Amino acid sequence: MRGVRWWRQLSLLVLAFMWWGCGSAEAHQKGNDVCQAKRLDAGTVDAAIRFRQHGRNFVEVSSDMTVEIPAREWSMANQLTFSEKSADYQKAMRCLLRGPDQALRTTEWRPTDPVATSNGDRVKVVYKAITWIRAPQDYRLGPWEIKKPAGKRKKWEVFLRPTTLRESRWSVEAELGDLDFEHYGQTSFVDKATVMWTTQKPADICPGKCIEVDLPWQRSFPLLWDQSIWKPAGIATWWVCASGVLALAAQRARRPYGSPAAVAPGPVRRVGAFGGEQGLAQPVLQWALLSGAVALTLLLFLREPEPENPRSHMLVCIAVGLTLVLVARPWHRPAAPRAPVSDDWARRHRRQAYTVTGFASLMAAAGILVVLGHGLFDLPESLVLRKPKAPDVRGEVGYILMGLTTVWLWLAAMAAWTWRFAREGGLVPAGWSRKWDDKPVLCVMVVSALLGMVAGGLLWSLLWATENQWKRATWLIDPSASTGRGNYLGKSLANFSSTELTWIFAYSWFLAGIALLALLKLHFTAQRARVSSRMEYIPFGPDRPDVLLVAALFSLTVGMRGARFASYNAQYGIWFVLNILSLLTVLAAGRRWSVLSRTGYLFNMHRPGANGRGELMDKVHQYRNLNHQLKLADQGRANGVTCEQLEEQLRGLRRWLVERCLKKSPPCQISILDVALAWGPETHWWPNAVRGARLAFCFGAPASFILLYVESNDRYNGQQLPFEPTAVPNLVAGFITFQAAWAGAGFVLGALWRLLPGRQSAVRAWSLTFAYIMPAVLAALLTEFIDSSPTMLLLFSLVMLFILTLTGLWMDTLTLKEERQYWPSRFALLISIHRLRGLSGQVAYLLAQVAVVAGILKGFIKIP
């Protein structure tokens, strides 16, 4: 009896073990197929690939994929409707779209996350991806793979290679636009722009390639251009032209001011920058030569984004940065002519030199320590980790220290040259200069801290963009299988300096603009000193040699910013020269039609020592009152004054104007008010230029935000923004450069205010805008020829015209600021000034500009 029970218990134990083994095998099998891939075969897929090329710099390729899965067939279908951040959603979406694929998607951008909707029986998922063919490489987006031309093959090949849903039924559509193509597979519909395949498996649709696409030359040329030597050569032409203008300006500054005929006999008097090697001419000439040499160095050594041996590159960058700081000599200040050098002045000079040299050398030593002492930071000799290994904490500290010190040196070099030009040119407030003389250590520490914050901001932008790039490339990849994040970050940190130094030097054209401003200020100072000492007539504007500097400043600030919207960078140098020639042409053609040139020289008004301006303003006030009374007399409200008496007084004012014209009688249509408004609010042209720059800077702030928004609203720029290492710095620098463009345009308008044609300020604004439009028309024709969009050029031109028109109207109110007390507001004064000059027409003109700009902006916002 006991034996029977024992056998029974043994049999039950064997059955239980067999049941457990079967269950474990079934669970193991389910674990190997957690995605239940076979159950996805019941789904249907609609896939589309679209090529867009018109009005774009690069061919845009977009993929739209719509998947419908029966909820009863696939257990994870309902998880697709969960939150995008939940683990269940990520798992289900990975199984649906990626499956076992763990490859990085570096060429795919997604405008939005896939959207899943459920109607009870089926779950619908819409998956969109986009890319741009901007380099000869392979591209992967959605279920599509695009192969670059290789060997003798000249066409791009398009393959349908999904990683999941390979046994599902697919309906595929390819929109090729106007591209030349050849199709393969069993198509259901074909026309000149579209190919369709319906209700087939991917292997049946395209056993091999689906389409061969031939890009037009307008889109193939940029791909070849970026890889050719002509791209850096085109950039170099800009530096050659800018350096040439600075060199000419420096040579002009070395000469005595004024023409030989105008220089009085006796010893030559030199003022400021005209004191030979002690003046501003020498550093300007040095920067003209150094900037070209540094640009060539960057083009040769930092052309590759990820150099094979960054060690030599880092040593060159650190040495160049330190050299730029020391050659700038921000402590230098020329002593007064024929003045003995005091001990106090020499002591301050030495202390400033030691402070700057010490700080710069300390930073350079810190960077060199990482490069030469790489072992201290557990870094290889080449500074790049070749194996898929993440740098440890010491390695990251080494990368950050090396990058920050190098970037700081270059920022310090730009600051040193800026200070040198601004201080010697008289652009720095006297209080700042005194603070620098008294407390150089404190000043250097404050500036160093500010530059450190800027370098830290650039580093943060790089880390932020690198993290976004990694998340985009590893989207839906299993975190346990996605290795290499640390190595990816280490490569970005190793190339931090190469990326940022190119960006920093790209904006060094600000230094050329500051140098030109400093030279113009010193020329004006010498011009005013000569006029005051010899009792000569105050000139209407800059002398002829200085007009070239004004034109170069206009091209640097306004023209080069507009060149950003004009296709390839190869034409930067040509654009720079064309803007200078255009402004000189407009000025030469319009000089004879300006108001003051048609009235001759009003010696009582602008001769030194005479109160001509006050007398002119009194006559203008009488002229305006007489016209007002004459209008009342025509309406029958004369109050005892006849029209004949008023007209006689107006004829007396006309005789006063004629008597003060030395060469010729002014035309009848030019009145005393025209002369006053043409003279501007200030006595000399430089204060007029400063007024115009300040006004345009203020009026242009809203326009800068609008233009930045329009640029960011572009589909390509908007997608690239979170993934570019210099994206955030570019936004800040873009706003500053836009503001510099408006200020530069206002400065040139004020400097040439008395030389530009037209009786109304709006005509002067249009004349200056026309100088920009002439090269812009050529650039627009080029963009149309290469099938790109010139809309940004048009928008920039209209915005500049609007800002200059507002600046001119405001300068009119400043010209008659003495009459501000008679009017309740500045706008009322403006109405009174232009009552006889068609204010309603100018208002309608401004409103028309606003309407055109609004229309263009509306078109930009509607761009898909």
Side-chain angles (χ1 to χ4, degrees), residues 105 107-108 138-146 161-163:
R105 296 287 182 95
T107 59
E108 178 185 270
D138 296 338
Y139 294 87
R140 182 65 191 263
L141 72 161
W144 301 94
E145 187 173 351
I146 304 175
R161 292 177 176 175
T163 57

Side-chain angles (χ1 to χ4, degrees), residues 737-818:
T737 50
F738 273 129
Q739 289 298 104
W742 314 136
F747 180 89
V748 175
L749 178 65
L752 305 179
W753 182 261
R754 301 164 187 171
L755 305 177
L756 292 174
R759 296 168 54 199
Q760 299 183 3
S761 56
V763 178
R764 297 186 183 92
W766 172 252
S767 301
L768 189 59
T769 307
F770 185 71
Y772 167 78
I773 289 179
M774 286 196 295
V777 169
L778 299 178
L781 294 177
L782 175 62
T783 54
E784 284 290 339
F785 180 68
I786 63 176
D787 195 14
S788 187
S789 176
T791 314
M792 282 300 298
L793 274 173
L794 176 61
L795 180 61
F796 185 81
S797 304
L798 289 175
V799 169
M800 184 175 67
L801 177 59
F802 183 75
I803 292 173
L804 291 180
T805 302
L806 291 178
T807 302
L809 293 175
W810 202 269
M811 288 186 69
D812 289 342
T813 63
L814 293 176
T815 302
L816 301 184
K817 56 182 176 293
E818 291 86 355

Side-chain angles (χ1 to χ4, degrees), residues 423-646:
R423 191 188 190 197
E424 295 192 16
L427 302 177
V428 175
W432 291 16
S433 185
R434 287 194 301 268
K435 182 68 70 175
W436 169 241
D437 291 335
D438 296 337
K439 299 179 180 179
V441 177
L442 177 62
C443 293
V444 170
M445 291 179 63
V446 172
V447 173
S448 299
L450 293 177
L451 297 180
M453 293 175 60
V454 175
L458 294 175
L459 177 62
W460 171 86
S461 179
L462 174 76
L463 296 177
W464 176 67
T466 302
E467 183 66 22
N468 291 336
Q469 290 174 3
W470 179 254
K471 289 180 179 179
R472 176 179 62 84
T474 58
W475 180 68
L476 292 184
I477 292 180
D478 189 354
S480 61
S482 60
T483 60
R485 178 182 180 277
N487 186 46
Y488 190 83
L489 178 62
K491 288 184 177 180
S492 298
L493 290 175
N495 294 284
F496 169 61
S497 302
S498 303
T499 303
E500 304 303 330
L501 295 189
T502 306
W503 178 83
I504 291 172
F505 203 74
Y507 288 97
S508 63
W509 60 265
F510 277 106
L511 292 178
I514 295 173
L516 292 175
L517 274 177
L519 289 173
L520 283 172
K521 176 64 179 300
L522 290 176
H523 289 190
F524 163 71
T525 303
Q527 183 188 65
R528 184 173 56 180
R530 184 193 64 181
V531 169
S532 300
S533 62
R534 300 178 184 177
M535 298 299 292
E536 296 179 358
Y537 296 107
I538 298 175
F540 289 163
D543 286 351
R544 289 186 181 274
D546 295 340
V547 171
L548 177 61
L549 303 185
V550 174
L553 183 66
F554 176 79
S555 182
L556 272 174
T557 56
V558 180
M560 295 309 298
R561 187 57 184 172
R564 189 171 182 268
F565 310 124
S567 185
Y568 307 123
N569 51 18
Q571 42 79 40
Y572 274 14
I574 301 174
W575 182 278
F576 180 76
V577 176
L578 285 179
N579 273 274
I580 294 177
L581 296 178
S582 177
L583 181 59
L584 294 179
T585 302
V586 169
L587 190 60
R591 186 191 294 263
R592 65 178 59 184
W593 299 105
S594 65
V595 172
L596 295 182
S597 64
R598 299 175 69 185
T599 59
Y601 294 96
L602 304 177
F603 65 95
N604 265 348
M605 175 177 159
H606 66 279
R607 186 175 180 87
N611 190 18
R613 181 177 179 81
E615 185 180 5
L616 178 64
M617 291 299 105
D618 291 339
K619 297 299 182 181
V620 169
H621 185 66
Q622 296 178 23
Y623 173 81
R624 286 158 47 78
N625 286 337
L626 290 175
N627 278 281
H628 181 65
Q629 293 179 20
L630 186 61
K631 182 178 180 180
L632 294 178
D634 292 338
Q635 298 175 357
R637 296 181 295 171
N639 294 329
V641 182
T642 62
C643 293
E644 290 76 9
Q645 293 174 341
L646 297 175

